[in-house]
Amino acid sequence: MSSEIVHNRISMLRAERGISRKELAAALEVHYQTVGYLERGEYHPSLFLALRIAAFFEVPVEVVFSLAPFPRLGSGG
Amino acid sequence: MSKHDRLRRRQARIDSAAVRSRVISTRAGRRRIVLVGCAVLALLWIGQGVIIALAPSDLARNIYVVMLVLVVLIGFAVIGWLVAATRGALDLPEHVLDERQRGERHRALATSHRMTSFLLFAGYLAALLWVLSVEGDMVPVPAALLATMPMTIAATHWSVPTLIAAWRIPDPTPDDENDENDDS
């Protein structure tokens, strides 16, 4: 794969659940800036961290991470 | 208080300093501080040149002492800012860092290893040229050089990884500061 872009829905899930960045970071045992970098797509997590994020939100990992862009809300996709 | 708690408190102090320091809140600001750090390191090495060229003499001593005072005063401020900018990724023990910070640390150490290897090789070539330029079998080495050169090498070895990490680190997320303020 030429460009290693991993799309994620962390900020959406976090906003939906009303969880602050620091609360998520504490639950995942990472620095709160790491959550910010994850949300901005400036850092791609290890498989271990990706699975922990999915487990935290109680969703399958493919709901949080995708190699293809997620469809926009209301796009009918 | 356990050692782990002390480290966590130190990490929190570094985070707090990073949020308070406007000068390191942007990439341009951080890079300016890194350049000042490089200039301070260069001053240390210029000091070695002064010793080689002028020592032993009062002039060499006076110039070097003035340079050293500047290095200490500016250098400690710069390192303080850069440690805050990198959130202690190069200074805190690895077990208190997360996977992203450990990655940053390893990349900075790998790059600095290549850079300092190059500098050591350049130093070796410079020493070789010095030896070859002197007539006879003895090279007059000022005693001051034996005292200050190890300190200069150690300062370079210690600070280059932090300079590299601070140069590379992306901007913090904009609402980090709001998060921090919410807690206080």
Side-chain angles (χ1 to χ4, degrees), chain B residues 14-89:
Chain B
I14 290 171
D15 282 339
S16 173
V19 171
R20 282 197 313 271
S21 304
R22 296 278 167 198
V23 70
I24 54 168
S25 64
T26 62
R27 175 169 284 185
R30 283 190 302 277
R31 289 189 166 181
R32 273 195 293 274
I33 300 289
V34 169
L35 291 175
V36 173
C38 292
V40 168
L41 264 187
L43 201 59
L44 262 184
W45 284 98
I46 290 168
Q48 301 306 289
V50 168
I51 289 172
I52 290 169
L54 303 175
S57 69
D58 286 348
L59 180 63
R61 187 196 59 207
N62 293 342
I63 292 174
Y64 189 78
V65 167
V66 169
M67 282 180 159
L68 197 60
V69 169
L70 283 175
V71 165
V72 170
L73 290 178
I74 303 170
F76 274 93
V78 164
I79 286 296
W81 271 319
L82 297 185
V83 167
T86 55
R87 310 285 175 135

Side-chain angles (χ1 to χ4, degrees), chain B:
Chain B
M1 186 188 293
S2 71
K3 188 179 174 188
H4 188 75
D5 290 339
R6 278 200 301 275
L7 288 169
R8 286 288 178 207
R9 284 180 66 137
R10 186 164 166 230
Q11 190 174 34
R13 279 200 303 275
I14 290 171
D15 282 339
S16 173
V19 171
R20 282 197 313 271
S21 304
R22 296 278 167 198
V23 70
I24 54 168
S25 64
T26 62
R27 175 169 284 185
R30 283 190 302 277
R31 289 189 166 181
R32 273 195 293 274
I33 300 289
V34 169
L35 291 175
V36 173
C38 292
V40 168
L41 264 187
L43 201 59
L44 262 184
W45 284 98
I46 290 168
Q48 301 306 289
V50 168
I51 289 172
I52 290 169
L54 303 175
S57 69
D58 286 348
L59 180 63
R61 187 196 59 207
N62 293 342
I63 292 174
Y64 189 78
V65 167
V66 169
M67 282 180 159
L68 197 60
V69 169
L70 283 175
V71 165
V72 170
L73 290 178
I74 303 170
F76 274 93
V78 164
I79 286 296
W81 271 319
L82 297 185
V83 167
T86 55
R87 310 285 175 135
L90 271 297
D91 299 87
L92 292 166
E94 207 158 288
H95 67 267
V96 297
L97 304 175
D98 67 23
E99 61 173 47
R100 176 188 61 83
Q101 293 173 306
R102 285 196 297 273
E104 271 175 19
R105 179 195 189 108
H106 294 163
R107 279 191 296 278
L109 289 175
T111 307
S112 75
H113 176 73
R114 284 196 295 275
M115 284 179 68
T116 49
S117 297
F118 174 79
L119 287 173
L120 284 173
F121 186 68
Y124 164 74
L125 287 181
L128 198 64
L129 287 175
W130 187 18
V131 169
L132 292 174
S133 69
V134 173
E135 288 182 14
D137 293 335
M138 300 293 284
V139 178
V141 177
L145 196 66
L146 299 178
T148 57
M149 183 61 86
M151 183 190 73
T152 303
I153 292 172
T156 306
H157 171 75
W158 179 71
S159 60
V160 167
T162 303
L163 292 168
I164 290 170
W167 182 269
R168 286 178 172 170
I169 199 162
D171 281 341
T173 41
D175 53 346
D176 276 351
E177 292 180 24
N178 296 335
D179 279 358
E180 196 78 25
N181 294 338
D182 289 345
D183 286 357
S184 56

